[in-house]
Coordinates of all heavy atoms in Angstrom, one line a residue:
A618 N 23.7 3.4 -20.5 CA 23.4 4.6 -19.8 C 24.7 5.4 -19.5 O 24.7 6.6 -19.3 CB 22.8 4.3 -18.4
S619 N 25.9 4.8 -19.6 CA 27.1 5.4 -19.4 C 27.4 6.5 -20.4 O 28.3 7.4 -20.3 CB 28.3 4.4 -19.3 OG 28.1 3.5 -18.3
N620 N 26.7 6.4 -21.6 CA 26.9 7.3 -22.7 C 25.9 8.5 -22.7 O 25.9 9.3 -23.6 CB 26.7 6.6 -24.0 CG 27.8 5.5 -24.2 OD1 28.9 5.6 -23.8 ND2 27.3 4.3 -24.7
I621 N 25.1 8.6 -21.6 CA 24.2 9.7 -21.5 C 25.0 11.0 -21.4 O 25.9 11.1 -20.5 CB 23.2 9.5 -20.3 CG1 22.3 8.3 -20.6 CG2 22.3 10.8 -20.2 CD1 21.4 8.0 -19.4
K622 N 24.7 12.0 -22.2 CA 25.5 13.2 -22.2 C 25.3 14.0 -20.9 O 26.3 14.6 -20.4 CB 25.1 14.1 -23.4 CG 25.5 13.4 -24.8 CD 25.1 14.3 -25.9 CE 25.5 13.7 -27.3 NZ 25.2 14.6 -28.4
S623 N 24.1 14.2 -20.4 CA 23.9 15.0 -19.2 C 24.5 14.3 -18.0 O 24.1 13.1 -17.7 CB 22.4 15.2 -19.0 OG 22.1 15.8 -17.8
R624 N 25.4 14.9 -17.4 CA 26.1 14.3 -16.2 C 25.1 14.0 -15.1 O 25.2 12.9 -14.5 CB 27.2 15.3 -15.7 CG 28.0 14.7 -14.6 CD 29.0 15.7 -14.1 NE 28.4 16.8 -13.5 CZ 27.9 16.9 -12.2 NH1 28.1 15.8 -11.4 NH2 27.3 18.0 -11.8
V625 N 24.2 15.0 -14.8 CA 23.3 14.7 -13.7 C 22.4 13.6 -14.0 O 22.2 12.7 -13.1 CB 22.5 16.0 -13.4 CG1 21.4 15.8 -12.4 CG2 23.4 17.2 -13.0
N626 N 21.8 13.6 -15.2 CA 20.9 12.5 -15.6 C 21.6 11.1 -15.6 O 21.1 10.1 -15.2 CB 20.2 12.8 -16.9 CG 19.1 11.8 -17.2 OD1 18.4 11.4 -16.3 ND2 18.9 11.5 -18.5
R627 N 22.9 11.2 -16.2 CA 23.7 9.9 -16.3 C 23.9 9.3 -14.9 O 23.7 8.1 -14.7 CB 25.0 10.2 -17.0 CG 25.9 9.0 -17.1 CD 27.1 9.3 -17.9 NE 28.0 10.2 -17.2 CZ 28.3 11.4 -17.6 NH1 27.7 11.9 -18.7 NH2 29.1 12.2 -16.9
Q628 N 24.3 10.2 -13.9 CA 24.6 9.7 -12.6 C 23.3 9.1 -11.9 O 23.4 8.1 -11.2 CB 25.2 10.8 -11.7 CG 26.6 11.2 -12.2 CD 27.1 12.3 -11.3 OE1 26.4 13.1 -10.6 NE2 28.5 12.5 -11.3
S629 N 22.2 9.8 -12.2 CA 20.9 9.3 -11.6 C 20.5 8.0 -12.1 O 20.1 7.1 -11.4 CB 19.8 10.4 -11.8 OG 20.1 11.6 -11.2
V630 N 20.6 7.8 -13.5 CA 20.2 6.6 -14.1 C 21.1 5.5 -13.7 O 20.7 4.4 -13.3 CB 20.2 6.7 -15.6 CG1 20.0 5.4 -16.3 CG2 19.2 7.7 -16.1
L631 N 22.4 5.7 -13.7 CA 23.4 4.7 -13.2 C 23.2 4.3 -11.8 O 23.3 3.1 -11.4 CB 24.8 5.2 -13.4 CG 25.3 5.4 -14.9 CD1 26.7 6.0 -14.9 CD2 25.3 4.1 -15.6
G632 N 22.8 5.3 -10.9 CA 22.6 5.0 -9.5 C 21.3 4.1 -9.4 O 21.3 3.2 -8.6
A633 N 20.3 4.4 -10.2 CA 19.1 3.6 -10.1 C 19.3 2.2 -10.6 O 18.8 1.2 -9.9 CB 18.0 4.2 -11.0
I634 N 20.1 2.0 -11.7 CA 20.4 0.7 -12.1 C 21.2 -0.1 -11.1 O 21.0 -1.3 -10.8 CB 21.1 0.7 -13.5 CG1 20.2 1.3 -14.6 CG2 21.6 -0.7 -13.9 CD1 20.9 1.5 -15.9
T635 N 22.2 0.6 -10.5 CA 23.0 0.0 -9.4 C 22.1 -0.5 -8.3 O 22.3 -1.6 -7.7 CB 24.1 0.9 -9.0 OG1 24.9 1.3 -10.1 CG2 24.9 0.3 -7.9
S636 N 21.2 0.4 -7.9 CA 20.3 0.0 -6.7 C 19.4 -1.2 -7.1 O 19.2 -2.1 -6.3 CB 19.4 1.2 -6.4 OG 20.1 2.3 -6.0
A637 N 18.9 -1.3 -8.4 CA 18.1 -2.4 -8.8 C 19.0 -3.7 -8.8 O 18.5 -4.8 -8.3 CB 17.6 -2.2 -10.2
L638 N 20.2 -3.6 -9.2 CA 21.1 -4.8 -9.3 C 21.4 -5.3 -7.8 O 21.4 -6.5 -7.6 CB 22.4 -4.5 -10.0 CG 22.3 -4.3 -11.5 CD1 23.6 -3.7 -12.1 CD2 22.1 -5.7 -12.1
Q639 N 21.6 -4.3 -6.9 CA 21.9 -4.7 -5.6 C 20.7 -5.4 -4.9 O 20.8 -6.3 -4.1 CB 22.3 -3.5 -4.8 CG 23.7 -2.9 -5.2 CD 24.1 -1.7 -4.4 OE1 23.2 -1.0 -3.8 NE2 25.3 -1.3 -4.5
R640 N 19.5 -4.8 -5.2 CA 18.3 -5.4 -4.6 C 18.0 -6.8 -5.1 O 17.5 -7.7 -4.4 CB 17.1 -4.5 -4.8 CG 15.9 -4.8 -4.0 CD 16.2 -4.9 -2.5 NE 16.7 -3.6 -2.0 CZ 16.0 -2.7 -1.3 NH1 14.7 -2.9 -1.2 NH2 16.6 -1.6 -0.9
L641 N 18.3 -7.0 -6.4 CA 18.1 -8.3 -7.0 C 19.0 -9.4 -6.4 O 18.7 -10.6 -6.4 CB 18.3 -8.3 -8.5 CG 17.2 -7.6 -9.3 CD1 17.5 -7.6 -10.8 CD2 15.8 -8.2 -9.1
K642 N 20.1 -9.0 -5.8 CA 21.0 -10.0 -5.2 C 20.4 -10.6 -4.0 O 20.8 -11.7 -3.5 CB 22.3 -9.2 -4.8 CG 23.2 -8.9 -6.0 CD 24.5 -8.2 -5.5 CE 25.4 -7.8 -6.7 NZ 26.6 -7.0 -6.2
L643 N 19.3 -10.0 -3.5 CA 18.7 -10.6 -2.3 C 17.7 -11.7 -2.7 O 17.2 -12.4 -1.8 CB 17.8 -9.5 -1.6 CG 18.6 -8.3 -1.1 CD1 17.6 -7.3 -0.5 CD2 19.7 -8.7 -0.1
Y644 N 17.5 -11.9 -4.0 CA 16.6 -13.0 -4.4 C 17.4 -14.1 -5.2 O 18.2 -13.8 -6.1 CB 15.6 -12.4 -5.4 CG 14.6 -11.4 -4.7 CD1 15.0 -10.1 -4.6 CD2 13.4 -11.9 -4.1 CE1 14.1 -9.2 -4.0 CE2 12.6 -11.0 -3.5 CZ 12.9 -9.6 -3.5 OH 12.0 -8.7 -2.9
S645 N 17.2 -15.3 -4.8 CA 17.9 -16.4 -5.5 C 17.0 -16.8 -6.7 O 17.5 -17.4 -7.7 CB 18.0 -17.6 -4.6 OG 16.8 -18.1 -4.1
K646 N 15.7 -16.5 -6.6 CA 14.8 -16.8 -7.7 C 13.6 -15.9 -7.7 O 13.3 -15.3 -6.6 CB 14.4 -18.3 -7.8 CG 13.6 -18.7 -6.5 CD 13.2 -20.2 -6.7 CE 12.4 -20.6 -5.4 NZ 12.0 -22.0 -5.5
V647 N 12.8 -15.8 -8.7 CA 11.6 -15.0 -8.7 C 10.6 -15.6 -7.8 O 10.3 -16.9 -8.0 CB 11.1 -14.8 -10.2 CG1 9.8 -14.0 -10.2 CG2 12.1 -14.1 -11.0
P648 N 9.9 -14.9 -6.9 CA 8.9 -15.5 -6.1 C 7.7 -16.1 -6.9 O 7.6 -15.7 -8.1 CB 8.4 -14.3 -5.2 CG 9.6 -13.3 -5.2 CD 10.2 -13.5 -6.6
P649 N 6.9 -16.9 -6.3 CA 5.8 -17.6 -7.0 C 4.8 -16.6 -7.7 O 4.3 -17.0 -8.8 CB 5.1 -18.4 -5.9 CG 6.2 -18.6 -4.9 CD 7.0 -17.4 -4.9
N650 N 4.6 -15.4 -7.1 CA 3.7 -14.5 -7.7 C 4.4 -13.4 -8.6 O 3.7 -12.5 -9.1 CB 2.8 -13.8 -6.6 CG 1.8 -14.7 -6.0 OD1 1.5 -15.7 -6.6 ND2 1.3 -14.3 -4.9
G651 N 5.7 -13.6 -8.7 CA 6.4 -12.6 -9.5 C 7.1 -11.6 -8.6 O 7.1 -11.7 -7.3
L652 N 7.8 -10.7 -9.2 CA 8.6 -9.7 -8.4 C 8.4 -8.3 -9.0 O 8.5 -8.1 -10.2 CB 10.1 -10.0 -8.4 CG 11.0 -9.1 -7.7 CD1 10.7 -9.0 -6.2 CD2 12.5 -9.6 -7.9
V653 N 8.1 -7.3 -8.1 CA 7.9 -5.9 -8.6 C 9.0 -5.1 -7.9 O 9.2 -5.2 -6.7 CB 6.5 -5.4 -8.2 CG1 6.4 -3.9 -8.6 CG2 5.5 -6.3 -8.8
L654 N 9.7 -4.2 -8.7 CA 10.7 -3.4 -8.1 C 10.6 -2.0 -8.7 O 10.6 -1.8 -9.9 CB 12.1 -4.0 -8.4 CG 13.3 -3.4 -7.7 CD1 14.4 -4.4 -7.6 CD2 13.9 -2.2 -8.4
Y655 N 10.6 -1.0 -7.8 CA 10.6 0.4 -8.2 C 11.9 1.1 -7.5 O 12.0 0.9 -6.3 CB 9.4 1.2 -7.8 CG 8.1 0.7 -8.5 CD1 7.3 -0.2 -7.9 CD2 7.9 1.1 -9.8 CE1 6.1 -0.6 -8.6 CE2 6.7 0.7 -10.5 CZ 5.9 -0.2 -9.9 OH 4.7 -0.6 -10.5
T656 N 12.7 1.7 -8.3 CA 13.8 2.4 -7.7 C 14.2 3.6 -8.5 O 13.9 3.7 -9.8 CB 15.0 1.4 -7.6 OG1 16.1 2.1 -7.0 CG2 15.5 1.0 -9.0
G657 N 14.8 4.6 -7.9 CA 15.2 5.8 -8.6 C 15.3 7.0 -7.6 O 15.1 6.9 -6.4
T658 N 15.5 8.2 -8.2 CA 15.6 9.4 -7.5 C 14.4 10.2 -7.8 O 14.1 10.6 -8.9 CB 16.9 10.2 -7.9 OG1 18.0 9.4 -7.7 CG2 17.0 11.5 -7.1
I659 N 13.6 10.5 -6.7 CA 12.4 11.3 -6.9 C 12.7 12.7 -6.3 O 13.6 13.0 -5.5 CB 11.2 10.7 -6.2 CG1 11.4 10.7 -4.7 CG2 11.0 9.3 -6.7 CD1 10.2 10.2 -3.9
V660 N 11.8 13.7 -6.7 CA 11.9 15.0 -6.2 C 10.7 15.2 -5.2 O 9.6 15.0 -5.5 CB 11.7 16.1 -7.3 CG1 11.8 17.5 -6.8 CG2 12.9 15.9 -8.4
T661 N 11.1 15.6 -4.0 CA 10.0 15.7 -2.9 C 9.3 17.0 -3.1 O 9.6 17.9 -4.0 CB 10.7 15.7 -1.5 OG1 11.6 16.9 -1.4 CG2 11.5 14.5 -1.3
E662 N 8.2 17.2 -2.3 CA 7.5 18.5 -2.4 C 8.3 19.7 -2.0 O 8.0 20.8 -2.4 CB 6.3 18.4 -1.4 CG 5.2 17.3 -1.8 CD 4.1 17.3 -0.9 OE1 4.1 18.0 0.2 OE2 3.1 16.5 -1.1
E663 N 9.4 19.5 -1.2 CA 10.2 20.6 -0.9 C 11.3 20.9 -1.9 O 12.1 21.8 -1.8 CB 11.0 20.3 0.5 CG 10.0 20.2 1.7 CD 9.3 18.9 1.7 OE1 9.8 17.9 1.1 OE2 8.2 18.8 2.4
G664 N 11.2 20.1 -3.0 CA 12.2 20.3 -4.1 C 13.5 19.6 -3.9 O 14.4 19.8 -4.7

């Protein structure tokens, strides 16, 4: 993702991956039923 040409999109993707990595640090192993993770930058109704 560091090679993405668009600066804005590159920063958003890198930020999302960083957030996912940080959240995974809270888990020593995958829970018995699995693990679901959603992260990223969304656009609100106000734009």
Side-chain angles (χ1 to χ4, degrees):
S619 300
N620 298 320
I621 296 176
K622 293 183 179 180
S623 170
R624 183 183 64 85
V625 175
N626 191 32
R627 181 175 66 250
Q628 290 179 341
S629 297
V630 174
L631 292 176
I634 294 175
T635 300
S636 297
L638 286 168
Q639 290 176 345
R640 192 55 60 98
L641 287 179
K642 290 180 180 179
L643 302 177
Y644 296 87
S645 60
K646 62 180 181 180
V647 177
N650 286 345
L652 179 62
V653 178
L654 190 153
Y655 294 101
T656 185
T658 303
I659 66 173
V660 179
T661 65
E662 294 181 355
E663 293 78 22

